[in-house]
Amino acid sequence: MSNDDKKFDELSRRGFLKAGAGVVAAASAPAFFMKDAWAADFRNNPGRSKTVKFGFNVPQSGAYADEGADELRAYKLAVKHINGEGDGGMLNTMKPISLKGDGILGKKLEYVTGDTQTKSDAARASAKRMIEKDGVLMVTGGSSSGVAIAVQSLCQEMGIVFMTGLTHSNDTTGKDKRRYGFRHMFNAHMSGSALGPVLKKEYGTDRQAYHLTADYTWGWTQEESIKNTTEAMGWKTTATVRTPVGAGDFSQYITPVLNSGADVLILNHYGKDMINSLTQAVQFGLRDKNVNGKNFEIIVPLFSRLMAQGAGDAIKGILGSTNWNWSLTDAGTKAFVKSFGQEYGFPPSQAAHTCYVQALQYADACQRAGTFYPPEVIKQLEGHKFDGMGNGPTEYRAEDHQAFKDVLVVRGNENPSSQFDLLKVEQIVPRSQVEYDAKIFGGELGPYVV
Amino acid sequence: MDVFLLQLLNGLDKGAAYALIAFGLTLVFGTLGVVNFAHGALFMLGAFCAVTLQKILTISKKVKDESITFFDAYKETPYLEIWWGDTGAAIIDWVIPISIFLAIPIMLLIGLSMERGLIRHFYKRPHAEQILVTFGLAIVLQELIRAFFGANPIPVSAPEILSGSADIGYILGMGADYLTYPWWRIIYVLFSGAIILSVFAFLQFTTFGMVVRAGMHDRETVGLLGINVQRRFTIVFGMAAVVAGLAGAMYVPILPPDYHMGMDFLVLSFVVVVVGGMGSLGGAVAAGFLLGILQSFSSLNEIKNIIPGIDQIIIYLVAVVIILVRPRGLMGRKGVMED
């Protein structure tokens, strides 16, 4: 072998190794430098901090304070579970899962709370304070669609993801949908689709319905959805009357129902309003009446165990729909109810459930994305399918950020087996029956980068 | 006809609450010349007398609920029921009527303390300062209630036997089931009438009342006769507090009380007082019932279809018209609020 050949050989071997290392280094350099390229570009980036913060914006006063208190309980439990404390709750059953029980991306989760007061302006002020002063990464909670839409719009402007709490208006993921907002709760349109066949079977096709409706976005869309459903099956609408939120005494709206010729009263009310209007409707003897040769019926399209508790005996036998109930027997529900019950001594409400799921799903999306950068987290949530969280297979539809899953038709339990057994699940309506085209409600999601 | 009668009854029932609160408010203004913004808080405190008594009567023994297997849950059985069985349960059932006997001394004590401790220092101060200090007091009282009882409404039921509806149509010979109205609301109207008549009678037919009425007309002359008008006015303040408290305690089955209920009624009551005439007892009662009835009729769909939202503004609309046309109110004394 000549010297030249030897040189070439040595060059070839060492050179190859050096060149290879150089190429790898050069190729990985952009990735190294770009890994956190967006890090400085988004609001409330935790950077090197060992903690991240969520903002729980719930009603702690006003007509929906009961729901707000239960939401907060669920959020505190979610924080515990995400940080690896307690029994883990639904972290043991949710699929798929990337969270490891050590916080999110290795950072411990903390939280701050705010009071929405069930008022849009107060809720926005509270969310703004949490974003600007407390530096929260995500805002979640609330028990009113008016509040949800207002806060969602603010979060879009500020580039902070908003995981809605209890909001049932079609508008939240319809005409007012936003890229930065996601809803796990079902909506009024889905309530109508789920309830329609059951109402037809129970009360027939010849009925006169009278609506009392909370005068804001949720009430309007629920009235519209239920009216469309009942009229399509042959019912007539006697009147639709708007009532102010937090009216307290609904008697002046109930007395005209008594001799109106209607044989069904549909209460598009929620929370304290529903408790008051239903209790007062029963006090006025509506359920004992016989009109048009039929028993007078009351329907509450959306209700929860908390409301059933407040309404007492008045709720017995009344049909409605709900997002989730603690009496379901799937593994996710059992895990959550056990965990929540051990912590607080009573089962969670649907408000608590939806908020708990929302917190866990956002945390898991960050973990999957490997970053807290909102556009990447949003992409992880859009179209994400999961299971094991109490509602069966669920999907955050990419087109409108509405979660699609089964819906429960429930009835106020006439023979409860325990003090908490207030709602009886009449039917689990499959996703296919309540699904609709995202285009029917219009709206634009808006940009990823704001 | 039935719609008319129902709305009329409903108006009377709403008006009864407005009249009772406004009655005390105007009594204080007429005697002491104080604009008491804490009067709504007295209504709320009365309601919480009933809540407190319910809490005391239902102090319970906790027993593990064996039907719950997921976690440790407890059932609560009131000691009264454990000790006295059906008698104990009946006492709990009749908590609202019983609470009246608790509310009278408590509200009297609160009223007297409020007047002696705070309000008397503001008699000679401008109305603006009186409003500020009494409004501040109202906020303190409602936040205290919030701290003790939380923000959520607390349901307290009427006695079982009175929780249904009365068949008024049948009683009036119009046929069964033609006109029904809840028993408790009818009782509230009657109760309100009885309280108002009692106070009127007290002021009209007793020496104490005569001195108070004389003092309302000419305080200085009554003072020159050697009569301590101030002491009597202090008692009148206590009476106004009792009337507001009883109105609140009896209202509990109609509207589950929360810490904010006083503020909700305060604004309406001021409108009632202004419409009726500041300082006029008869005016407050008449305006209370009148505005209650107007509010009830304006909630009819036929009227709301012509003027949307009228049910929300009717009371304020009437107040604006009255202030423009007759500033002293329907039955107010000449000169009051007219300068």
Side-chain angles (χ1 to χ4, degrees):
Chain A
M1 192 180 279
S2 69
N3 274 349
D4 279 355
D5 285 347
K6 197 180 172 188
K7 208 174 191 179
F8 180 79
D9 257 10
E10 279 176 9
L11 256 180
S12 175
R13 194 171 59 247
R14 287 183 187 167
F16 179 79
L17 288 171
K18 283 178 184 171
V23 166
V24 168
S28 60
F32 177 80
F33 290 114
M34 288 162 64
K35 181 164 71 78
D36 284 328
W38 53 64
D41 298 330
F42 70 93
R43 191 187 288 270
N44 298 340
N45 176 9
R48 292 176 184 277
S49 167
K50 289 178 180 171
T51 60
V52 285
K53 216 177 271 177
F54 285 180
F56 302 144
N57 205 20
V58 304
Q60 295 176 47
S61 54
Y64 302 143
D66 278 349
E67 280 75 9
D70 223 34
E71 288 182 7
L72 207 50
R73 291 185 197 107
Y75 282 133
K76 288 177 181 174
L77 198 61
V79 171
K80 265 188 160 186
H81 293 166
I82 290 168
N83 283 335
E85 297 160 27
D87 64 5
M90 278 188 182
L91 286 184
N92 299 311
T93 58
M94 75 183 259
K95 289 171 198 163
I97 182 165
S98 301
L99 290 168
K100 295 168 186 159
D102 61 348
I104 310 169
L105 296 174
K107 295 178 193 293
K108 282 278 173 198
L109 179 58
E110 294 177 343
Y111 66 89
V112 290
T113 67
D115 182 7
T116 67
Q117 299 171 34
T118 321
K119 291 174 189 160
S120 299
D121 51 350
R124 274 177 73 100
S126 170
K128 204 162 190 288
R129 190 255 307 156
M130 290 194 284
I131 295 168
E132 289 180 342
K133 198 174 158 213
D134 301 316
V136 300
L137 199 57
M138 179 270 278
V139 175
T140 181
S143 186
S144 148
S145 293
V147 163
I149 289 166
V151 174
Q152 184 169 259
S153 157
L154 173 85
C155 286
Q156 174 78 27
E157 288 161 23
M158 301 192 82
I160 293 288
V161 172
F162 175 55
M163 303 298 282
T164 67
L166 214 151
T167 162
H168 188 246
S169 168
N170 296 333
D171 293 345
T172 312
T173 46
K175 76 176 179 58
D176 295 312
K177 67 187 169 217
R178 292 288 182 271
R179 181 71 64 191
Y180 279 69
F182 287 85
R183 168 159 68 177
H184 172 261
M185 180 84 179
F186 70 143
N187 62 30
H189 185 86
M190 293 154 92
S191 275
S193 304
L195 272 173
V198 180
L199 295 180
K200 191 175 178 178
K201 189 177 153 209
E202 291 267 337
Y203 306 136
T205 53
D206 181 24
R207 284 281 185 171
Q208 305 272 345
Y210 195 109
H211 289 254
L212 288 184
T213 303
D215 198 4
Y216 74 107
T217 172
W218 167 70
W220 305 330
T221 66
Q222 176 163 294
E223 178 192 286
E224 187 191 16
S225 296
I226 301 295
K227 192 165 161 263
N228 289 343
T229 302
T230 53
E231 286 182 352
M233 62 196 207
W235 290 21
K236 289 184 180 62
T237 305
T238 306
T240 52
V241 176
R242 304 283 162 87
T243 61
V245 177
D249 185 9
F250 288 90
S251 59
Q252 76 260 38
Y253 302 106
I254 291 170
T255 41
V257 183
L258 288 167
N259 295 350
S260 65
D263 47 38
V264 174
L265 172 63
I266 299 175
L267 292 175
N268 299 306
H269 290 152
Y270 196 76
K272 190 172 94 174
D273 282 357
M274 178 265 164
I275 293 170
N276 287 334
S277 65
L278 177 63
T279 309
Q280 287 159 15
V282 173
Q283 276 173 5
F284 272 86
L286 277 175
R287 294 196 76 188
D288 304 324
K289 282 182 87 74
N290 192 288
V291 183
N292 308 325
K294 305 174 191 93
N295 282 336
F296 194 100
E297 303 292 347
I298 300 176
I299 297 164
V300 180
L302 174 66
F303 63 32
S304 73
R305 187 186 55 78
L306 283 180
M307 283 153 53
Q309 205 167 300
D313 286 348
I315 199 84
K316 286 183 176 176
I318 287 178
L319 279 170
S321 63
T322 193
N323 196 52
W324 173 86
N325 192 45
W326 73 278
S327 64
L328 293 169
T329 53
D330 62 283
T333 296
K334 280 182 175 173
F336 180 49
V337 172
K338 187 180 171 202
S339 193
F340 191 97
Q342 278 173 347
E343 190 82 12
Y344 303 112
F346 46 84
S349 64
Q350 66 165 350
H353 170 255
T354 197
C355 290
Y356 178 85
V357 173
Q358 288 279 76
L360 256 55
Q361 280 301 323
Y362 172 81
D364 199 61
C366 294
Q367 193 81 27
R368 287 197 304 277
T371 173
F372 295 105
Y373 181 53
E376 293 302 315
V377 178
I378 290 169
K379 282 172 192 163
Q380 284 297 327
L381 284 167
E382 286 178 332
H384 179 59
K385 293 177 181 167
F386 58 94
D387 200 352
M389 300 196 85
N391 299 104
T394 305
E395 178 185 3
Y396 285 116
R397 186 162 69 178
E399 291 94 321
D400 56 1
H401 295 190
Q402 170 66 52
F404 281 91
K405 57 197 185 308
D406 300 346
V407 171
L408 306 182
V409 171
V410 289
R411 189 195 297 273
N413 206 342
E414 300 195 73
N415 299 302
S417 62
S418 77
Q419 56 181 320
F420 308 117
D421 185 26
L422 302 174
L423 300 181
K424 186 180 168 202
V425 178
E426 285 288 311
Q427 203 175 319
I428 299 176
V429 181
R431 169 183 171 169
S432 57
Q433 193 181 312
V434 298
E435 198 159 4
Y436 58 87
D437 185 350
K439 290 182 191 128
I440 64 170
F441 292 124
E444 287 292 329
L445 281 171
Y448 284 97
V449 180
V450 291
Chain B
M1 181 63 180
D2 52 332
V3 173
F4 177 82
L5 284 174
L6 272 169
Q7 292 308 103
L8 185 66
L9 270 173
N10 187 245
L12 288 173
D13 141 24
K14 283 185 177 305
Y18 299 159
L20 269 183
I21 306 172
F23 189 72
L25 197 59
T26 207
L27 191 61
V28 168
F29 181 77
T31 50
L32 302 168
V34 171
V35 183
N36 182 16
F37 261 67
H39 199 73
L42 294 172
F43 175 72
M44 180 265 295
L45 288 177
F48 275 89
C49 281
V51 171
T52 307
L53 185 65
Q54 189 204 36
K55 292 224 179 270
I56 293 169
L57 294 182
T58 53
I59 291 174
S60 300
K61 184 181 179 184
K62 283 187 175 180
V63 182
K64 195 167 184 308
D65 187 348
E66 301 295 346
S67 60
I68 303 293
T69 51
F70 288 101
F71 53 88
D72 290 343
Y74 294 89
K75 277 182 186 167
E76 295 189 352
T77 313
Y79 282 108
L80 270 185
E81 282 185 36
I82 296 171
W83 295 333
W84 296 339
D86 288 348
T87 312
I91 292 172
I92 294 170
D93 189 35
W94 284 80
V95 63
I96 302 287
I98 297 170
S99 70
I100 289 172
F101 299 103
L102 178 75
I104 291 173
I106 289 182
M107 294 310 298
L108 190 63
L109 195 67
I110 291 174
L112 295 179
S113 321
M114 196 188 276
E115 197 273 340
R116 288 288 85 191
L118 184 72
I119 291 181
R120 75 186 171 104
H121 301 293
F122 288 82
Y123 287 148
K124 290 178 183 165
R125 306 276 277 269
H127 282 322
E129 289 182 23
Q130 293 173 355
I131 289 171
L132 280 175
V133 77
T134 51
F135 193 69
L137 179 63
I139 292 171
V140 169
L141 289 174
Q142 75 173 37
E143 288 307 313
L144 278 173
I145 290 293
R146 186 180 178 174
F148 279 103
F149 294 92
N152 298 331
I154 303 168
V156 184
S157 305
E160 180 75 32
I161 196 169
L162 301 172
S163 59
S165 286
D167 197 342
I168 297 175
Y170 183 73
I171 297 165
L172 297 176
M174 300 156 97
D177 219 21
Y178 181 75
L179 191 67
T180 56
Y181 208 77
W183 275 114
W184 191 260
R185 287 173 183 267
I186 296 169
I187 288 169
Y188 194 84
V189 176
L190 298 175
F191 176 81
S192 159
I195 294 282
I196 290 166
L197 284 178
S198 306
V199 177
F200 265 125
F202 182 74
L203 293 176
Q204 200 66 34
F205 303 119
T206 62
T207 314
F208 180 93
M210 190 179 70
V211 173
V212 169
R213 281 186 293 122
M216 283 169 83
H217 278 284
D218 192 344
R219 184 177 181 155
E220 209 168 315
T221 308
V222 175
L224 288 171
L225 292 171
I227 297 168
N228 187 349
V229 187
Q230 187 53 53
R231 181 181 292 174
R232 284 163 176 80
F233 282 180
T234 301
I235 295 169
V236 167
F237 192 95
M239 275 171 55
V242 171
V243 170
L246 291 181
M250 286 291 282
Y251 206 68
V252 166
I254 294 172
L255 189 65
D258 60 24
Y259 73 101
H260 203 261
M261 75 185 292
M263 283 293 180
D264 298 340
F265 276 87
L266 179 74
V267 179
L268 282 171
S269 305
F270 262 99
V271 175
V272 169
V273 169
V274 168
V275 171
M278 292 290 280
S280 164
L281 296 177
V285 175
F289 283 107
L290 175 74
L291 292 181
I293 290 167
L294 277 176
Q295 195 182 26
S296 180
F297 277 97
S298 65
S299 303
L300 281 172
N301 222 20
E302 292 81 356
I303 294 173
K304 283 178 73 175
N305 285 342
I306 301 167
I307 316 170
I310 185 70
D311 55 324
Q312 299 295 300
I313 58 165
I314 183 74
I315 286 183
Y316 306 103
L317 210 58
V318 171
V320 168
V321 172
I322 290 287
I323 289 168
L324 285 175
V325 177
R326 193 179 161 89
R328 65 174 135 144
L330 294 175
M331 296 165 78
R333 270 190 305 182
K334 201 169 182 188
V336 177
M337 292 186 68
E338 286 186 322
D339 38 330

